[in-house]
Amino acid sequence: MHALMQGWDASMLQAAALGLLALAVLVVGVSMAMQQARRARNQRVVDEAVATRADPAAARAERATRQHRNARAVGQAVDRAVELGGRWGQGRLGSLVMAEEDRRLVDMAGYEQLGRARALFIFARLVLAAGLPLAGLLLLDGFAPLGNRMLGWICLAFFGFGLGWMLPKWAVQRRVSQRKRAAAEELPLLIDLLRLLQGVGLSMDQSLHVVVNEFRQAMPVLAAELKVAVEQYARGRTREQSLARLANGFGNDDLGAICRLIAQVDRHGGAVQEPLQRFSERVRERRKLELKENVGRLTVKMTGVMVLTLLPALLIVTGGAGFLAVIRGLSRVAGAS
């Protein structure tokens, strides 16, 4: 038993030594590679500066050619990934990799080429789900003792697969959350524009076309969603069906109410300047209340920061002299005794 423990300790020490040696070699190799890349980049910058001074037109042409070559290489790699993702997404494998919830999430992310986005999502999910466990197993090999290596492989395979499977979905969810916040910020401007366009005599369909074509930069999220709704309405869908994604997908009650108001006006007609004005005032009032609530929360959060940062400095400034006097007095008493 004692010999077995000694052998086990020796194997653990040997594995640890090999792991430290591999880590040191990796650090040295990475540092040398970074240094070489830095030197190559500096040399390239110097060469470009010299070429620009010698022949500016040729230097600009060469730079444009290099950028075009790099962009073409990146585009070819993305196209290859899209092709593989589209191939993998067919059949039962595609339904397993990309469920209906994931499909709706990608649809709400606002990508212009929806099929391309779905193919990239499938490609990223499969590659990461297979690549992260493999990378973890390769890193674990040589670092862990022989007795714990199997357990480490199982844990890394499980967590690596789960992380690789969820990373694309988390990225798309973050984009969807950003779009929802942007839509909430753009909503007051949309209400004011609709009220203004309705006030000058335009119909609801004409107003939506003006918002889509003329205010795309001011409202990128809502203008893109309204463009999809206008195109679906032109293909034969009803106004309620074309605005259903905008009304229900963003989880915003005010945006849903505006969509219902647009559908009602398109069906029955009537003046909407006064309802839109009241609705705009209500939205702005709600945003003011939300800002006040956020300011109140920030004040509470800053209390802890002030206690940790300002209070020690305040104690030192106000009571530092008194503390020093007490310490000196105690030192004199101790010296006299």
Side-chain angles (χ1 to χ4, degrees):
M1 185 67 182
H2 182 66
L4 180 62
M5 291 297 296
Q6 287 182 350
W8 177 257
D9 293 339
S11 64
M12 290 181 63
L13 290 176
Q14 184 179 4
L18 289 175
L20 291 176
L21 180 61
L23 181 61
V25 171
L26 179 63
V27 171
V28 173
V30 170
S31 63
M32 293 178 63
M34 292 178 62
Q35 186 177 4
Q36 186 66 26
R38 193 180 301 111
R39 289 178 181 176
R41 185 173 61 253
N42 295 336
Q43 185 65 33
R44 186 170 60 252
V45 171
V46 172
D47 294 340
E48 289 180 357
V50 173
T52 302
R53 291 179 63 89
D55 192 355
R60 287 195 297 268
E62 183 179 358
R63 190 182 303 112
T65 303
R66 188 184 305 112
Q67 292 177 355
H68 178 69
R69 190 183 303 115
N70 295 334
R72 186 173 59 183
V74 173
Q76 290 177 355
V78 174
D79 292 338
R80 181 59 178 169
V82 170
E83 181 182 356
L84 291 175
R87 188 181 305 169
W88 294 341
Q90 297 176 359
R92 297 185 60 182
L93 179 61
S95 61
L96 290 175
V97 175
M98 194 172 190
E100 187 64 27
E101 180 185 359
D102 301 328
R103 193 178 301 272
R104 289 196 301 266
L105 193 64
V106 174
D107 294 346
M108 287 302 302
Y111 296 107
E112 294 183 358
Q113 299 179 356
L114 192 57
R116 188 181 181 91
R118 291 176 179 174
L120 284 176
F121 181 88
I122 294 174
F123 176 81
R125 169 165 279 186
L126 288 177
V127 169
L128 289 176
L132 287 183
L134 182 60
L137 294 178
L138 292 177
L139 290 176
L140 181 67
D141 192 15
F143 282 90
L146 294 175
N148 298 333
R149 191 170 296 176
M150 184 60 66
L151 180 60
W153 284 347
I154 295 174
C155 293
L156 276 178
F158 178 76
F159 287 106
F161 178 81
L163 183 61
W165 188 267
M166 293 302 297
L167 273 178
K169 185 173 183 178
W170 290 340
V172 177
Q173 283 179 345
R174 183 178 181 183
R175 178 181 174 89
V176 172
S177 300
Q178 292 175 354
R179 284 174 55 82
K180 288 182 178 180
R181 289 194 296 268
E185 294 177 358
E186 296 171 5
L187 182 59
L189 179 59
L190 175 64
I191 298 173
D192 292 339
L193 285 175
L194 289 178
R195 182 166 59 89
L196 178 62
L197 294 173
Q198 289 289 299
V200 298
L202 296 180
S203 64
M204 184 57 68
D205 192 55
Q206 292 174 342
S207 301
L208 293 179
H209 276 89
V210 170
V211 171
V212 170
N213 297 324
E214 302 296 334
F215 296 94
R216 187 176 303 173
Q217 295 182 353
M219 298 183 301
V221 176
L222 292 182
E225 292 296 328
L226 287 175
K227 180 181 178 180
V228 175
V230 169
E231 292 176 352
Q232 291 179 354
Y233 181 74
R235 295 192 188 102
R237 290 191 177 184
T238 63
R239 187 66 73 181
E240 292 86 352
Q241 293 174 350
S242 61
L243 292 174
R245 169 177 164 176
L246 185 61
N248 304 323
F250 285 86
N252 193 319
D253 296 335
D254 296 331
L255 188 58
I258 285 295
C259 293
R260 290 191 295 270
L261 180 61
I262 292 174
Q264 182 179 358
V265 171
D266 185 76
R267 175 183 297 178
H268 303 289
V272 294
Q273 292 85 1
E274 189 66 24
L276 285 175
Q277 183 176 2
R278 292 197 299 268
F279 196 79
S280 176
E281 293 175 355
R282 190 182 72 179
V283 170
R284 282 187 166 80
E285 189 66 26
R286 182 179 299 178
R287 292 192 65 182
K288 289 180 181 179
L289 294 176
E290 291 178 354
L291 288 175
K292 291 180 180 179
E293 184 178 358
N294 292 332
V295 170
R297 293 177 182 174
L298 184 62
T299 304
V300 175
K301 293 179 181 178
M302 287 299 296
T303 303
V305 178
M306 294 174 63
V307 169
L308 293 176
T309 57
L310 296 180
L311 186 59
L314 184 62
L315 290 176
I316 292 173
V317 172
T318 56
F323 289 146
L324 290 176
V326 171
I327 292 172
R328 290 171 182 172
L330 294 175
S331 63
R332 291 195 191 99
V333 171
S337 62

